[in-house]
Structure formats: C-alpha cells, structure tokens
Amino acid sequence: MAEMAAGRAIVEALKAEGVDHIFGLVGTTTNSIVTELYGRDDIRFIDTRHEEGAAFMAYGYSKASGKPSACVTTSGPGTINLATGISLAYKGRAPVIAIAGNTAQEYTYRDGAQEFDLVNTFKSITQMSLQVNQTDRIPEMLHYAFRAAMYGKKGPVLLDIPRDLIDGQTVQWDVEAPGTYRPVADRTAGDAQAIQQAAALLAGAQRPLILAGGGIVDSEATDDTVALAERLDMAVVPSYGHNDAFPNSHRLYVGPPGGRGASEALEAMNRADVILALGTRINQGSTSWDYSVINPDTKIIQVDIDPREIGRNYPLAVGIVGDAGAVAQQLSEALSAQFPEGKTNPEWTAEIADFRARRHARLEAEAQLGGDPMMPQRVFSELNKVLPRDCMVTIDAGIAPGLSYDRISYELPRTMFNYAGQGGLGMGLGVGLGTKLGRPDRPAISLQGDGGFLYTSQELNTAVRKNIPLVSIVLNNGCHGAEKAQQQRFYDQKYIGVDLENPRFDRLAEVYGARGYYVERPEDVADTVRDALSLDGPSVVEIPVAEYFPPGASLPSR
C-alpha cells in the first residue's frame, strides 16, 4: 500500500468519486487538507466569502451536474455556518459531503476554543453525521459517507475529523474506485406485481395524470416519462419546484401546481381519476396535503426511491418503491402489451388542450401589463423571449422571484433550481453560481428579490475572483413581500420590518468588479439580459418592480 499524508488521502478519496470542486473557507484545522490542493488542476478549491455560500454553491453544483460535491470548513462556527445550505441539500436531495476539520480530541468535553458537538448539531439535516476516530480509518469513513450520500434517497453527509488525526499524520492506502465499496448504479426496478396492478389502474383510467417529481430529474428519466405519458395521453403536472421534469411545450403538459403555480394545473389534478405520482413525495406545495386539490375519489399510484415516502401523505391504490426511470419503463412495457398503438380518450385530451389554452391566454394577457414601476409578471414574459433553451434558472425564496414558477418555460431537465421546500432567503446567488460551475456549458441566471439578494451578496466577490459568468437578476420591490402581505391582510397594515432601503444593486455589482445593469422599461429587459448572457464574467441586472401580492402571498411560510 502507498503511504500518503492524511490530508492528501481525503483529497484523493473525493477525486475518486468524481469531485472536481471543493467549496469552503480555509482554517487552522483544515490547512492539512486544503494545502494538498496546491498546484493541482484536476480538483479546484472555490474559497467563498462565507461558509453558507459554500454550501449553497455545492448544492447548485450537485443538482446541475448530477455529481457529488464537497465542502471543507474549519472548527466551530466555520462548520456551523454551513447549516442553512446543508439543510437545503437535505430537503433538495443533493449529495454534498461536508468535511469539518474539528478541534483536537483533547479539547472534547472541556469547553475548548471552538469546540462544539458538530455531529449532533448536523444529525437532523443530513443523511448521516459522524466523527472519524482514527487516522487510518479516514478512507473507510469517506467511503461510508459516499454510500449514504449517493444511494437511494441522495443527500448530504457530515464527516467530522479532529485536527490531531490529520495534522502531520499519514495513512497506508491505495485509492479505490467507487464500485469497489458501494453500488454505482441506482436504477432499482419496482416490484413486478405492483407494476401490473398500477398498469391495470392506468389502463382503465378515463382521466389519467402524471404528477412528475424530482426523482425523474435525478434519474435522467424525462424521455421515459414522455413515452409513458404519450402511451395513454396522460395529462402531466410537475410536482412543485420541478417544472423541468417534463418539457413544458409538450401538448400534455398543463402547468405547475401550488399557490405560485397555475390554477389550471390544480383543476387538472382535481379532475384526474388516477394520478401516477412518479418520483415524488407528493409534497405540500403540490397538494396542500389535503383534498382541496386532489379529489378524494382519485386513485393514487405513488413511486419513490425511498420506501419511507410511500403512502406518507395520502392513502394509495398502489405503492411502488423504485427508481422513477426504471418504473416508467416497466409501466410503458406493461401498457404497450395491452395498447401497442397507444390509447387515447378524446374527451380527456380535449380537456388537457383547454387547460393549456386557458393558461397561455392568461399569461399572454400579463405580457401587456403596464405600470411604472413595471409589474413583476411582465419581467418573466420578457425573459421568455431571450432565455436559451438550456438556460439554468435559480429561483430564490420570496414573492417577486416566486412569480416565475408559472411564467418561465423549461424544456430540459436540470434547468430549474429552487429552495426545495427549505424556504430560506438568500440561496439564489450562491446556488446559481454553483449551477454554472457544475454545467459550464450552459448559460445560467438567478432570480432574487432585494431582500434575499443582500443576504449573500458578498459572494459577488467570489464570482468575480473565480470568473463565474452568472447573470443575477434582482427584482427590487423595496420590501419583504410575503411578510408585508401578511401584515397588510391580517395585522391591520401595521408595517414593521418589511419596508427596505437598498443600495443600487447595479452599482454594488460594479464596486465588486462585476458588470451592473439597471432596467426600468419592460422593452429593455430582453436586450439587457441578452447582453449580460454574452459576458465572460458575472453581472447583476437590477429591475425595480411594483409591490404585488398575489392570492396566497400572505401565507406564513415563504
């Protein structure tokens, strides 16, 4: 076996898993790791201005690329600062390996400087959180971490490594390929009997609908889902936050559900007599977890890679544990035997066409909205004119960017990124930067409000230093919109802490060394964004917009 420095063993274990970007900040407990990156061009260290930004970027990188990513942070608050971003990775099922360089073991239980129980701090927001207890077990524990992060329900893992196990230490180890210590394929097929039951239900349905979840994106199963939908002319509604699971221009796509989605999609879900929930937890945003959207008489077939999600929120007709793509193929094969030429129901097909037509008419009417400042809905109609088909769009929390859910079109998987039910403001910029690093061949924009942008705007410095060409669009309505809507509707307009005074964001971008734009007229939005997308570096486009509180905007959660 080869002898190598413990810090190098960590880097080589990450590299063996295809990790080519490590996000984080330097610290005294991790110098033995990060200095092993010196002079290497096969794995890049992205030093951010705050650890939260590192976790956001790692999340964006993994979701865009489909690959694992890593964060390396120092003891105490250095690692604790990851918590917001790691909780996003947990909700969004992203395989982020967080390596915490902790204080030496002699500090443990003595209230030493920066000594905290990081393992228990992160247990509730990771797939697994554990501490290495011997230097020679570092490779083993990294393998353990990747098994937990990469198989089945993907998610983040925290690996706590006390500095006395790294500094000046060596290990005897030969680098191993992932296939030697974990399954590298995750196309788990569904139970054959359950597949037959589900196929029979779908075959007999008069108004079948696919609720297309994030599992479709994770398993690269969009084509399989299209083929299945076309086999029976099934309406398609993406689960909340996964509009890119199915091409939006397809004749069977209705629109996104939820309070920020399309009313036509909710109507289609209510009309369906059989819903195939494919690769989805049937989340709160899609259904409100009651029968206001799903008809109580509707039969539900749920498919998810995680058995704990099956039947968790609704009683089922059939539950199938399996990969969304594998199960979609199984169902297509079962149905093709019965319907070799496919099956259609002209009445349901006409209803689907009507849902689509009504939604498009509504959105086209919004494209004519006037006003000074412009209405935020108008921004998205202009963006649709210019965003490339493969453009990656990151949507921060908040009302103004949230209006994009029903208004931006997606044709390809891994082009829509959001807060995944985690709901924290400020993720837009960092996640957007991560998506661009994960897929440098694709253009990338981020959408955020003025409140969310200032949470993490320091990462503009990271974007400039690392030359990451993200276009960050700031919709400035001068307030925390969801909270202001709540105070307006339920608290007698007692406005406190909701009205914001901001700098000019385009000028702030220029101070950082990025390109800044300021757009006040709708007719200038497309040309400005087109110019920004052509740059070989980061930019900020500030767009002042009117306060607009749509129905549901006063709900307590963002």
Side-chain angles (χ1 to χ4, degrees):
M1 287 191 177
E3 183 176 12
M4 66 180 74
R8 183 187 165 198
I10 293 169
V11 172
E12 296 299 342
L14 294 174
K15 183 61 184 174
E17 284 280 359
V19 173
D20 51 20
H21 285 73
I22 297 175
F23 303 89
L25 267 78
V26 297
T28 57
T29 67
T30 55
N31 273 330
S32 292
I33 303 172
V34 298
T35 54
E36 291 293 337
L37 299 169
Y38 182 79
R40 295 183 66 146
D41 57 10
D42 60 339
I43 188 164
R44 186 183 184 193
F45 185 55
I46 304 295
D47 53 308
T48 59
R49 300 315 301 258
H50 192 280
E51 290 87 355
E52 181 183 51
F56 284 153
M57 290 183 208
Y59 171 80
Y61 178 95
S62 286
K63 295 302 287 185
S65 68
K67 295 165 51 179
S69 60
C71 296
V72 173
T73 50
T74 193
S75 55
T79 294
I80 292 170
N81 281 341
L82 289 175
T84 301
I86 293 299
S87 68
L88 174 60
Y90 184 67
K91 284 279 194 178
R93 300 187 176 191
V96 177
I97 307 297
I99 296 175
N102 209 342
T103 55
Q105 293 177 94
E106 63 179 297
Y107 288 28
T108 305
Y109 308 125
R110 299 176 68 182
D111 195 24
Q114 294 195 337
E115 188 271 316
F116 290 92
D117 183 354
L118 297 176
V119 169
N120 280 311
T121 298
F122 280 82
K123 268 188 176 176
S124 67
I125 54 172
T126 55
Q127 299 286 81
M128 183 175 69
S129 180
L130 74 166
Q131 184 179 69
V132 177
N133 58 6
Q134 291 178 216
T135 297
D136 59 6
R137 297 190 70 190
I138 286 174
E140 172 197 346
M141 291 297 97
L142 280 161
H143 294 170
Y144 194 12
F146 276 102
R147 279 197 295 273
M150 293 296 291
Y151 189 78
K153 179 183 176 181
K154 294 180 173 63
V157 170
L158 178 87
L159 194 62
D160 176 320
I161 310 179
R163 69 177 299 179
D164 54 311
L165 301 187
I166 314 173
D167 291 356
Q169 302 298 312
T170 61
V171 297
Q172 298 285 334
W173 178 56
D174 291 330
V175 179
E176 299 163 282
T180 65
Y181 55 81
R182 69 172 181 85
V184 293
D186 189 7
R187 298 282 286 183
T188 306
D191 174 76
Q193 184 176 357
I195 293 292
Q196 291 304 317
Q197 291 173 342
L201 269 179
L202 291 169
Q206 296 301 305
R207 297 181 300 280
L209 179 144
I210 295 178
L211 182 63
I216 293 171
V217 177
D218 290 342
S219 63
E220 310 288 350
T222 292
D223 290 345
D224 297 323
T225 307
V226 170
L228 176 59
E230 290 177 346
R231 176 67 55 184
L232 298 182
D233 271 359
M234 302 170 71
V236 178
V237 171
S239 69
Y240 187 75
H242 300 293
N243 299 14
D244 57 342
F246 197 90
N248 294 186
S249 62
H250 196 283
R251 63 182 178 84
L252 297 174
Y253 179 86
V254 177
R260 293 176 177 174
S263 58
E264 299 83 5
L266 302 180
E267 188 177 347
M269 291 175 68
N270 189 262
R271 286 280 296 146
D273 59 350
V274 176
I275 290 178
L276 171 61
L278 184 60
T280 175
R281 291 167 279 190
I282 314 183
N283 62 30
Q284 180 185 8
S286 300
T287 66
S288 300
W289 286 343
D290 58 26
Y291 291 102
S292 61
V293 176
I294 293 180
N295 191 307
D297 295 327
T298 299
K299 294 180 174 63
I300 300 174
I301 303 163
Q302 186 182 9
V303 180
D304 198 273
I305 196 70
D306 184 357
R308 293 171 297 183
E309 298 295 345
I310 300 297
R312 184 177 184 181
N313 296 314
Y314 286 92
L316 305 176
V318 183
I320 304 174
V321 178
D323 169 78
V327 172
Q329 290 177 2
Q330 289 177 285
L331 288 172
S332 286
E333 290 168 7
L335 291 164
S336 65
Q338 186 172 355
F339 304 108
E341 303 300 322
K343 175 193 174 185
T344 187
N345 182 326
E347 292 182 3
W348 183 231
T349 304
E351 280 195 67
I352 296 170
D354 180 61
F355 294 141
R356 285 177 55 81
R358 285 192 278 125
R359 176 173 177 250
H360 289 162
R362 174 171 55 78
L363 297 180
E364 286 171 8
E366 287 185 354
Q368 309 305 316
L369 288 172
D372 183 17
M374 76 179 84
M375 296 296 290
Q377 302 96 310
R378 183 71 187 274
V379 174
F380 306 114
S381 64
E382 299 301 319
L383 286 179
N384 278 328
K385 298 175 182 178
V386 69
L387 295 184
R389 185 170 181 266
D390 61 347
C391 187
M392 299 182 293
V393 179
T394 299
I395 307 167
D396 205 338
I399 279 187
L403 290 168
S404 67
Y405 279 77
D406 188 30
R407 294 169 176 86
I408 289 183
S409 294
Y410 300 90
E411 296 302 313
L412 300 175
R414 300 193 190 278
T415 52
M416 181 185 189
F417 310 88
N418 61 13
Y419 53 83
Q422 183 251 21
L425 278 175
M427 47 72 66
L429 177 59
V431 173
L433 293 170
T435 67
K436 185 61 181 175
L437 290 169
R439 288 296 302 267
D441 57 313
R442 288 182 169 182
I445 71 167
S446 62
L447 296 168
Q448 49 270 302
D450 47 320
F453 185 70
L454 278 183
Y455 271 45
T456 55
S457 61
Q458 72 275 2
E459 299 307 340
L460 281 174
N461 175 265
T462 305
V464 170
R465 286 184 295 111
K466 304 300 181 181
N467 195 37
I468 308 172
L470 174 76
V471 179
S472 185
I473 299 173
V474 183
L475 305 170
N476 184 0
N477 62 5
C479 68
H480 289 301
E483 290 73 17
K484 188 167 187 177
Q486 209 178 357
Q487 291 179 8
Q488 179 192 76
R489 294 174 181 174
F490 301 124
Y491 296 96
D492 299 324
Q493 301 183 36
K494 295 175 181 176
Y495 297 133
I496 183 166
V498 293
D499 291 308
L500 302 175
E501 296 182 14
N502 299 305
R504 277 277 293 263
F505 297 113
D506 59 321
R507 294 174 182 169
L508 181 64
E510 291 166 356
V511 169
Y512 276 116
R515 178 71 181 274
Y517 300 88
Y518 191 80
V519 181
E520 295 182 281
R521 302 189 307 164
E523 55 267 31
D524 294 333
V525 170
D527 286 342
T528 300
V529 172
R530 184 181 293 110
D531 187 65
L533 285 168
S534 72
L535 298 177
D536 185 26
S539 59
V540 174
V541 179
E542 178 179 356
I543 306 177
V545 295
E547 285 187 9
Y548 172 71
F549 305 146
S554 58
L555 295 176
S557 62
R558 292 194 181 101

